[in-house]
Amino acid sequence: MSLSSYLSPTRLLEGYLRRCLRAAGLTSQTLSIDSETTIHFWGPPPLDHRSDDDRPVMLLLHGFGPSSMWQWRRQMQAFSPSAFRVYSPDLVFFGDSTSSSTNRTEVFQAECMAKLMAKIGIGKYNVAGTSYGGFVAYHMAKMWPEKVEKVVIASSGINMRKCDGESLLQRSNCECIEKVMLPSTATEFRTLMALASSWRLVRMFPDALWNDVINNLYKKNRKEKIELLKGVTFGRSENLNIDSLSQEVLIVWGDKDQIFPVKMAYELKEILGDKTKLEIIDNTSHVPQIECAQEFNNIVLRFLKGS
């Protein structure tokens, strides 16, 4: 191992995140859900997957980018172990989740997550998805209404049209979506940060730091992730292909989101039906669960607890 590996800020921070999650009572686990696919997830110890545990279950689905612990750490800490049984998997081809399947749609991701919960022995659960994870959460709620109870969709343009994707490329000054969502250079990473975060300071970090992040968090399974981006079923035309949901739904959005502008949140609320509630977090961009974790957590907890 080179000296740079020992001094990697990303590796050091990863170790800290793992310690935080273990202190919250969660363990890192891997489970084969079928002959093709293996899912890594953070969840209660295996002995706690018991049916007589009456705590509600929360399934957290991350967006494009790093694995689940990087995107949901503050929620995993806040919601477990007392309030919920929390499960936060790495979607297929993210983190340590792998598959020999050639399927690359978010519907496939939803099927894999449903198989994971069934394999663990969880019959009913709430699901929260951010960005790409919101695509997966929507499909899970639509396909298994008898299993999915309440739904949280955060910063997720499942109502995107083809023109929305074109507008994103214009805002990013990039010619293809993978240069936005899967940066391979420090310059591309700064572009993503400018779109996804309202924290101006992070854009001033040196190239060496961003290259370290890219090498550790963005290079693995790059080919498959590009295929996932191209396999997204939403936004392929100017026609919407989504329906209302039967569950209670909470939409959470940052008012400064430049990936999916906030106007999409208001439209999505109308589409998803009368059981849908919308919460906008001020001065926040695409990752409110990170940028305004405490406010985000309070909003979600009030919704899930019914107050």
Side-chain angles (χ1 to χ4, degrees), residues 59-252:
L59 175 65
L60 299 172
L61 302 177
H62 64 82
F64 241 85
S67 62
S68 65
M69 70 175 178
W70 290 89
Q71 300 191 42
W72 286 119
R73 187 261 301 184
R74 295 283 295 276
Q75 288 67 47
M76 287 192 255
Q77 285 181 293
F79 300 152
S80 63
S82 57
F84 295 90
R85 281 186 288 165
V86 174
Y87 295 87
S88 189
D90 296 337
L91 295 172
V92 181
F93 300 121
F94 295 87
D96 293 323
S97 294
T98 62
S99 181
S100 60
S101 171
T102 57
N103 196 324
R104 297 292 185 267
T105 68
E106 75 278 7
V107 177
F108 169 69
Q109 298 275 15
E111 292 168 346
C112 290
M113 295 302 105
K115 285 182 180 179
L116 173 67
M117 299 307 279
K119 194 88 171 181
I120 294 171
I122 305 297
K124 290 183 179 293
Y125 43 91
N126 304 289
V127 61
T130 180
S131 196
Y132 180 75
F135 297 177
V136 181
Y138 170 82
H139 285 296
M140 293 186 74
K142 193 69 179 174
M143 296 163 71
W144 296 283
E146 74 284 359
K147 296 180 180 179
V148 176
E149 296 182 309
K150 293 186 178 183
V151 183
V152 179
I153 294 176
S155 314
S156 183
I158 60 176
N159 54 325
M160 67 184 295
R161 298 171 172 86
K162 188 176 181 179
C163 62
D164 295 310
E166 294 169 349
S167 295
L168 173 57
L169 293 180
Q170 290 176 356
R171 288 193 295 276
S172 64
N173 199 28
C174 292
E175 66 272 17
C176 56
I177 192 63
E178 55 262 34
K179 285 190 175 292
V180 182
M181 304 309 297
L182 290 170
S184 59
T185 67
T187 298
E188 290 175 359
F189 202 98
R190 281 198 183 86
T191 297
L192 175 60
M193 287 294 98
L195 291 168
S197 172
S198 61
W199 295 337
R200 295 183 180 276
L201 180 63
V202 298
R203 303 168 206 171
M204 301 170 62
F205 290 163
D207 286 3
L209 177 61
W210 294 138
N211 288 328
D212 182 67
V213 172
I214 290 167
N215 288 333
N216 283 286
L217 301 180
Y218 281 83
K219 281 193 171 181
K220 187 177 180 181
N221 295 330
R222 181 175 175 83
K223 172 179 174 290
E224 290 82 1
K225 289 174 182 174
I226 290 174
E227 292 169 352
L228 288 174
L229 284 172
K230 294 178 178 178
V232 170
T233 62
F234 299 123
R236 291 187 174 182
S237 73
E238 296 305 323
N239 298 317
L240 293 178
N241 60 344
I242 62 171
D243 302 306
S244 61
L245 294 175
S246 60
Q247 297 93 337
E248 290 182 61
V249 181
L250 170 66
I251 300 171
V252 187

Side-chain angles (χ1 to χ4, degrees), residues 17-82:
L17 296 178
R18 290 181 179 277
R19 289 193 296 274
C20 287
L21 298 184
R22 286 195 289 266
L26 301 173
T27 62
S28 173
Q29 302 166 58
T30 303
L31 197 59
S32 294
I33 60 170
D34 55 34
S35 60
E36 295 182 314
T37 304
T38 299
I39 302 296
H40 169 266
F41 65 97
W42 286 90
L47 290 178
D48 285 356
H49 302 327
R50 58 187 190 274
S51 58
D52 63 339
D53 189 331
D54 60 0
R55 287 176 299 165
V57 174
M58 175 181 284
L59 175 65
L60 299 172
L61 302 177
H62 64 82
F64 241 85
S67 62
S68 65
M69 70 175 178
W70 290 89
Q71 300 191 42
W72 286 119
R73 187 261 301 184
R74 295 283 295 276
Q75 288 67 47
M76 287 192 255
Q77 285 181 293
F79 300 152
S80 63
S82 57

